[in-house]
Amino acid sequence: MICNLKKYRLLAELTQEELAEKVGVRRETIIRLETGRYNPSLELAIKISRAVNTPVETIFSFEE
């Protein structure tokens, strides 16, 4: 999985902690997502995409 979360989180001017609070997870989950060590559930991916106002497929993609 390719994760562009950090880029779009920064564009949305959110800290990891602020994003975590908005989507209902711990900051550690955001860290793991940004470093590619965690694959989000569909529900979490959608919450994140709404929080940073970016399409989910722009933030998360899979290599073919």
Side-chain angles (χ1 to χ4, degrees):
M1 178 183 81
I2 298 169
C3 179
N4 296 305
L5 175 56
K6 183 175 183 177
K7 173 183 175 180
Y8 292 102
R9 175 181 59 78
L10 292 173
L11 286 171
E13 299 181 346
L14 292 171
T15 66
Q16 291 172 334
E17 186 69 36
E18 289 168 337
L19 178 57
E21 286 178 20
K22 280 183 171 274
V23 300
V25 297
R26 294 176 28 217
R27 179 174 171 258
E28 289 76 16
T29 302
I30 302 301
I31 292 168
R32 290 176 64 209
L33 282 166
E34 290 185 353
T35 58
R37 297 190 332 246
Y38 181 72
N39 288 336
S41 66
L42 180 57
E43 179 182 6
L44 179 56
I46 291 170
K47 285 180 179 180
I48 289 170
S49 75
R50 289 179 180 159
V52 298
N53 198 30
T54 304
V56 70
E57 60 273 8
T58 302
I59 301 169
F60 304 104
S61 61
F62 294 91
E63 295 178 289
E64 304 216 5

